[in-house]
Amino acid sequence: MPKYIFVTGGVVSSLGKGIASASIGRILEAKGLKVTIQKLDPYINVDPGTMSPYQHGEVYVTEDGAETDLDLGHYERYTNATLERANSVTTGQIYNEVITKERKGEFLGATVQVVPHITDAIKARIRDVTKNKRCDVVISEVGGTAGDIESLPFLEAARQFRHDVGRENCIFVHLTLVPYIRAAGELKTKPTQHSVGTLREIGIQPDILICRTEKRLGRGMKAKISLFCNVEEEAVIEARDVRSIYEVPLMFKEQNLDAVLCRYLRIEYKSGSLHEWEKNVVAKALHPKRKVRVAVVGKYVELPDAYKSIYEALRHGGIANDAEVVIKKINSEKVTKSNVAHYLKDVSGILVPGGFGSRGVEGKIKAIQHVRENKIPFFGICLGMQCATIEFARSVLGWKNANSTEFNKKSSHPVISLLEEQEKVENLGGTMRLGAYACNVKKDTYAYEAYKSEEVMERHRHRYEFNNKYREDMRKKGFRISGLSPNGKLVEIIEVADHPWFVASQFHPEFKSKPDRAHPLFREFIAHALAYQTEHGVILKPNPAPAEQPDEREKEGAEVPLEA
Ligand code: GLN
């Protein structure tokens, strides 16, 4: 039977529970343990696929085609776990399942209730995540904050789960905030105490506290939290703000969190090392030799989470090239013919990400025209590839009205259109082309140069495709199709031959990039951006990572004072 870790959050949201869960996964994997990480999300949507990026940030897609929370992206970037549909559970899915059963009469006349029917369904989903596979530790992150109405059924299910499997097989990790009050010059533990109190009211005593803080906690502070929250002192873990999110596993290991987890879960203690992670990821992220600026031209650039995996994958491309990647975020709605050169004057590459709907599309097309004509490295993803196709059709083939039928149903040259099977789709949720599909890569192309393989698997999330009617005409003018589905029917990667690096994919490579194994297309994009920069003489100097500033009072040997 696997061991179980529940990760809950308190005080406020956005404390980085996803990164904490992923980092716990990383330090356990370093001990040779096989882990999986699951997200339990309290909203009523069946999945985030139908939510706007304003509501939810990026929708992360798994290999088996589930549309999930972006935290699953952190889990896959930090660990080797392959996540599937079962790793993402929402209130919507649970109620859907229970109500469907009720309609079939499967509850034998019972009154169907939150306890036990909803909680039983949640417990089944926690067990099912390891069905048919070997796994030593299951980490289940409960979305939301302790005290929320929505997350109660999940917390109750987790409480019961521990009762069912025994204390030695299941523990609770609670992430809280220890705010620093500048005016008083003090760190405050009261919110943490209250949040632990809230959990206790529903029968959960956390075993480990991870405390987010801007300042060092110091021994005295840890002792105080330990005493008032009833948690062993060595189980109070400080989670200071760090320079790179990839430092978090190192910070946890330094405080022996891995040893504490193993002791509580009765896992035979093996000392593991994060040496490779430190050398290949953290050291390179903090001490890059070069620096390059690339633009992301999208509709949601003001939201930090809307293109999460893309931003991370660009950083991975930087790590692979020993370079810091500075991302200039450009709102595609603002880009016009007259200002595009101004917007793009100081970048060495541009990336146009995925998206839905016509807003901002014309700006993306203008930006692509500029970089194609001026031979600046270009990387298009999903809608980015579709825009590149439209741009080429309009500017090079002279089809002024070329478009995707998503934006103009009456276009005389619908170079991007719906497949027949998509024409019939009525429900929006979960009906796109989703998940991993094979793609054959043609030799002597930029894509092959990157992958060095003729067959790759990549993840999709879209309805529209390249319209094969226009393949030959466009090919003749230098539009290169470098990736096709194995049956040859779907265009998966396109390039412009007469250009230093112009590559766009119908799939989303960003979902498969890891900090220590950058996705080949991101690695090459950054390599070519660096080459462009060298050629054009705009050499940027990397900023040395700021040395960690010891707290003023610590320098003098004193501890940060506690509140009364
Ligand atoms: N809107 C486009 C489609 O549905 C592109 C989707 C995307 O970029 N993820 O095909």
Side-chain angles (χ1 to χ4, degrees):
M1 190 184 78
K3 305 285 184 176
Y4 292 89
I5 300 173
F6 287 101
V7 180
T8 59
V11 186
V12 290
S13 59
S14 306
L15 287 180
K17 232 185 315 153
I19 291 175
S21 304
S23 300
I24 290 175
R26 178 79 242 173
I27 59 176
L28 292 175
E29 268 191 358
K31 297 192 156 305
L33 297 165
K34 204 163 163 32
V35 305
T36 193
I37 316 184
Q38 178 182 47
K39 179 86 193 264
L40 307 174
D41 260 317
Y43 48 72
I44 297 176
N45 302 60
V46 169
D47 60 44
T50 53
M51 282 188 224
S52 143
Y54 287 108
Q55 292 285 317
H56 189 271
E58 160 186 291
V59 173
Y60 187 78
V61 181
T62 58
E63 205 69 2
D64 66 348
E67 296 176 277
T68 72
D69 188 80
L70 57 83
D71 279 328
L72 274 84
H74 293 309
Y75 308 162
E76 284 202 336
R77 287 188 281 272
Y78 281 71
T79 72
N80 293 308
T82 303
L83 307 180
E84 299 166 343
R85 197 167 289 278
N87 291 75
S88 169
V89 180
T90 66
T91 297
Q93 289 166 24
I94 298 288
Y95 272 81
N96 216 359
E97 181 187 315
V98 171
I99 293 170
T100 307
K101 263 188 169 176
E102 186 276 334
R103 291 289 83 185
K104 286 191 191 153
E106 286 184 23
F107 290 108
L108 297 171
T111 306
V112 182
Q113 293 175 298
V114 173
V115 182
H117 301 99
I118 294 295
T119 45
D120 281 352
I122 296 171
K123 288 198 284 181
R125 296 291 296 269
I126 297 166
R127 285 210 160 84
D128 280 356
V129 76
T130 53
K131 207 159 139 190
N132 309 327
K133 53 177 177 228
R134 189 186 83 81
C135 181
D136 302 310
V137 185
V138 177
I139 302 165
S140 296
E141 177 191 343
V142 185
T145 310
D148 292 350
I149 294 175
E150 287 92 342
S151 49
L152 264 181
F154 286 109
L155 293 173
E156 169 60 12
R159 185 195 68 76
Q160 292 183 15
F161 198 89
R162 176 178 180 148
H163 173 266
D164 298 348
V165 300
R167 280 164 193 273
E168 66 287 5
N169 295 314
C170 178
I171 57 171
F172 282 90
V173 175
H174 189 55
L175 191 72
T176 75
L177 176 71
V178 179
Y180 177 71
I181 307 298
R182 214 161 292 279
E186 282 178 352
L187 284 166
K188 296 289 186 185
T189 67
K190 207 47 70 74
T192 297
Q193 295 179 40
H194 281 302
S195 167
V196 170
T198 306
L199 274 183
R200 263 201 228 116
E201 271 172 35
I202 51 177
I204 295 172
Q205 165 63 48
D207 303 281
I208 295 171
L209 291 176
I210 297 181
C211 304
R212 285 301 311 272
T213 167
E214 314 172 34
K215 303 268 174 195
R216 280 184 183 280
L217 289 184
R219 280 289 303 280
M221 197 56 128
K222 282 194 174 185
K224 183 178 180 188
I225 295 171
S226 158
L227 177 66
F228 290 125
C229 298
N230 220 5
V231 168
E232 280 190 301
E233 200 174 317
E234 59 171 349
V236 179
I237 306 294
E238 165 191 296
R240 244 172 313 121
D241 297 345
V242 275
R243 296 161 292 178
S244 156
I245 55 167
Y246 298 119
E247 275 185 271
V248 178
L250 301 181
M251 182 167 65
F252 286 175
K253 177 141 178 66
E254 220 170 80
Q255 297 173 74
N256 296 321
L257 177 58
D258 52 346
V260 175
L261 288 164
C262 288
R263 179 157 65 79
Y264 285 175
L265 287 169
R266 315 267 205 284
I267 297 172
E268 205 181 312
Y269 183 86
K270 281 188 262 163
S271 79
S273 141
L274 284 176
H275 182 67
E276 295 287 307
W277 184 265
E278 188 167 7
K279 189 175 84 187
N280 299 333
V281 178
V282 178
K284 293 204 167 164
L286 295 183
H287 308 289
K289 294 200 177 70
R290 298 183 285 173
K291 180 173 176 173
V292 65
R293 187 184 295 114
V294 297
V296 169
V297 182
K299 190 161 62 162
Y300 300 110
V301 286
E302 74 280 17
L303 307 174
D305 284 346
Y307 305 119
K308 191 91 197 164
S309 294
I310 288 187
Y311 296 153
E312 288 310 312
L314 285 170
R315 291 196 183 104
H316 305 161
I319 290 173
N321 284 288
D322 249 321
E324 175 188 348
V325 176
V326 179
I327 302 170
K328 177 169 178 177
K329 299 172 183 173
I330 299 173
N331 182 347
S332 55
E333 283 181 89
K334 301 219 168 101
V335 179
T336 62
K337 197 174 171 189
S338 55
N339 67 19
V340 62
H342 173 74
Y343 269 123
L344 298 177
K345 69 174 190 300
D346 56 354
V347 298
S348 301
I350 84 154
L351 185 153
V352 175
F356 296 84
S358 61
R359 190 160 60 84
V361 163
E362 291 303 320
K364 291 178 184 171
I365 292 173
K366 292 277 173 320
I368 295 169
Q369 182 179 3
H370 180 86
V371 294
R372 187 179 53 74
E373 289 174 354
N374 290 283
K375 306 218 183 300
I376 303 171
F378 168 72
F379 191 9
I381 293 178
C382 208
L383 180 63
M385 173 216 144
Q386 300 176 354
C387 288
T389 305
I390 297 167
E391 191 280 314
F392 197 90
R394 286 184 190 171
S395 314
V396 182
L397 280 292
W399 302 332
K400 295 283 171 265
N401 188 26
N403 217 327
S404 161
T405 53
E406 182 180 2
F407 315 127
N408 178 4
K409 293 218 167 19
K410 299 202 187 90
S411 164
S412 55
H413 290 87
V415 288
I416 304 292
S417 62
L418 276 188
L419 286 184
E420 220 176 290
E421 61 236 45
Q422 279 288 341
E423 305 258 16
K424 301 186 204 108
V425 165
E426 284 175 8
N427 277 351
L428 286 187
T431 54
M432 281 186 258
R433 182 177 175 215
L434 286 166
Y437 287 86
C439 165
N440 291 349
V441 182
K442 222 171 124 206
K443 284 203 161 163
D444 297 321
T445 60
Y446 290 129
Y448 185 81
E449 210 173 81
Y451 283 114
K452 299 192 177 55
S453 165
E454 283 179 83
E455 194 188 297
V456 298
M457 289 291 283
E458 293 285 5
R459 298 184 196 170
H460 293 251
R461 181 172 184 254
H462 57 100
R463 280 182 214 287
Y464 295 81
E465 305 275 353
F466 181 91
N467 187 341
N468 289 328
K469 215 164 99 185
Y470 300 103
R471 259 196 215 182
E472 273 322 301
D473 286 342
M474 293 188 54
R475 239 184 205 155
K476 281 188 206 134
K477 296 279 187 181
F479 186 83
R480 189 156 73 191
I481 293 170
S482 55
L484 282 174
S485 58
N487 67 7
K489 290 201 172 137
L490 301 172
V491 171
E492 307 283 40
I493 315 176
I494 59 128
E495 304 183 359
V496 169
D498 179 27
H499 192 283
W501 206 81
F502 189 107
V503 179
S505 65
Q506 185 56 81
F507 48 77
H508 289 269
E510 71 274 22
F511 294 143
K512 291 183 86 162
S513 188
K514 301 204 183 217
D516 46 353
R517 273 159 285 163
H519 187 285
L521 293 177
F522 279 89
R523 188 194 64 221
E524 287 309 297
F525 172 57
I526 297 299
H528 282 84
L530 282 158
Y532 176 91
Q533 175 181 270
T534 310
E535 214 171 287
H536 290 78
V538 267
I539 307 292
L540 304 176
K541 287 251 168 359
N543 294 332
E548 264 193 281
Q549 292 298 323
D551 190 274
E552 286 305 304
R553 279 167 300 260
E554 259 176 54
K555 259 196 296 196
E556 289 149 24
E559 282 195 350
V560 179
L562 311 181
E563 75 260 48

